[in-house]
Amino acid sequence: MDTRTYVSLNNGNNFVPLEFNDEDPECDLNKCRVELHLKCSIEFIRNSFPGYRTVQIEGTFYKNDVKSSHTFISLNGGQSWKMLDTRIEKVTIVNNGELIVALDKTNGKIWYSYNEGVQWKKEKLNAYNCLDIILLQSPINHVIAGINYNEKKNIYTIFLLKYKRATSMGYVITDKICEGNDFENWYVPRYHGNCFQGEEIYYLQKKHYAMCYDDRSSSQPTTNPCPCSIEDFPW
């Protein structure tokens, strides 16, 4: 029996298969499926939901009779997903995708992206056995700490990587701080509009094409009343 992961955006009333940003034209429900490796633990929940609309979970992608391991991320609350390259692991998502850092398990390089994983740059690090990658707090730069272990020499190495607080559009990088007009409302996704059980919830997020850096450390939700629909009631 094939196992497939489904997602619900209305408290479990309806479930649908994961929807991807870049759909494979050779895939359909009969040929391709995704199985996320879900665990029941507080640590798993904390690591899998690093932001109010960010999800990252390890899983397996099946296409016909071939399977591969990937990290799957969503930057819009599970509404759509992106499957990262099978070579990378230890993914760290900063500020809802403004910066993504990952380790290449095949050659010890660090991958990083300033635009939600659309484009990647790489740095040689020789971290062939990296035990963990941790985001450190810094008012000026994004600081990533890693711990690498050399089994032959029995040596632990700590490395620090600094990335400027910036954003990227194509090959242009800017460190301009976002202002009021650079933000828009992002509503918690639902299947039918934004309302669920008489409430719609939204956060302020940077507009997708705004060339600026969001320097906020957190974003608080705003809740407004809205009309209930027939699907809000249990049957």
Side-chain angles (χ1 to χ4, degrees):
M1 180 179 178
D2 294 337
T3 302
R4 184 192 305 270
T5 298
Y6 290 76
V7 62
S8 172
L9 301 178
N10 57 3
N11 291 18
N13 287 344
N14 304 96
F15 286 85
V16 296
L18 273 62
E19 180 178 318
F20 288 89
N21 296 330
D22 303 317
E23 292 288 354
D24 187 339
E26 298 181 359
C27 274
D28 58 34
L29 291 179
N30 297 321
K31 295 181 180 180
C32 299
R33 59 188 174 90
V34 171
E35 179 184 356
L36 298 182
H37 302 160
L38 306 176
K39 301 176 183 178
C40 184
S41 72
I42 295 177
E43 181 181 5
F44 173 79
I45 294 174
R46 181 173 61 250
N47 294 335
S48 300
F49 301 91
Y52 65 89
R53 58 185 174 92
T54 307
V55 189
Q56 64 177 83
I57 302 177
E58 303 296 318
T60 304
F61 174 68
Y62 298 87
K63 182 176 181 180
N64 297 323
D65 296 327
V66 179
K67 67 178 182 179
S68 54
S69 298
H70 300 265
T71 298
F72 297 86
I73 66 172
S74 173
L75 302 176
N76 56 9
Q79 196 168 22
S80 61
W81 295 75
K82 185 178 184 66
M83 182 172 66
L84 301 185
D85 194 293
T86 188
R87 292 171 291 177
I88 61 176
E89 61 179 1
K90 302 286 193 301
V91 178
T92 298
I93 302 176
V94 182
N95 205 7
N96 294 307
E98 182 178 274
L99 172 67
I100 303 178
V101 180
L103 177 71
D104 190 324
K105 55 190 174 184
T106 65
N107 57 21
K109 289 184 177 181
I110 287 288
W111 292 29
Y112 63 97
S113 170
Y114 278 114
N115 53 10
E116 301 183 353
V118 176
Q119 296 168 316
W120 294 88
K121 295 184 178 181
K122 304 174 185 178
E123 290 183 4
K124 186 67 175 179
L125 197 62
N126 295 324
Y128 292 99
N129 188 25
C130 184
L131 303 181
D132 202 1
I133 293 179
I134 304 170
L135 173 66
L136 302 180
Q137 296 295 329
S138 171
I140 301 176
N141 299 298
H142 294 304
V143 180
I144 305 295
I147 303 174
N148 190 68
Y149 176 56
N150 188 317
E151 294 183 358
K152 292 183 178 180
K153 298 181 179 180
N154 193 27
I155 295 177
Y156 290 89
T157 304
I158 298 177
F159 56 85
L160 295 177
L161 302 173
K162 294 182 180 180
Y163 298 94
K164 65 185 301 184
R165 292 178 178 267
T167 188
S168 172
M169 185 70 67
Y171 294 96
V172 179
I173 297 179
T174 179
D175 57 0
K176 173 182 175 291
I177 296 177
C178 294
E179 300 176 350
N181 292 333
D182 295 315
F183 294 97
E184 63 183 358
N185 294 341
W186 177 82
Y187 288 87
V188 174
R190 303 298 185 184
Y191 282 125
H192 301 286
N194 300 318
C195 188
F196 180 68
Q197 293 185 343
E199 291 184 341
E200 59 178 13
I201 303 172
Y202 70 87
Y203 296 80
L204 276 182
Q205 73 167 12
K206 188 187 75 171
K207 294 178 181 178
H208 186 66
Y209 293 105
M211 283 299 294
C212 61
Y213 163 70
D214 182 2
D215 67 339
R216 299 174 302 163
S217 59
S218 63
S219 179
Q220 299 301 317
T222 299
T223 303
N224 290 329
C226 57
C228 290
S229 68
I230 193 170
E231 295 186 353
D232 290 333
F233 298 92
W235 297 95

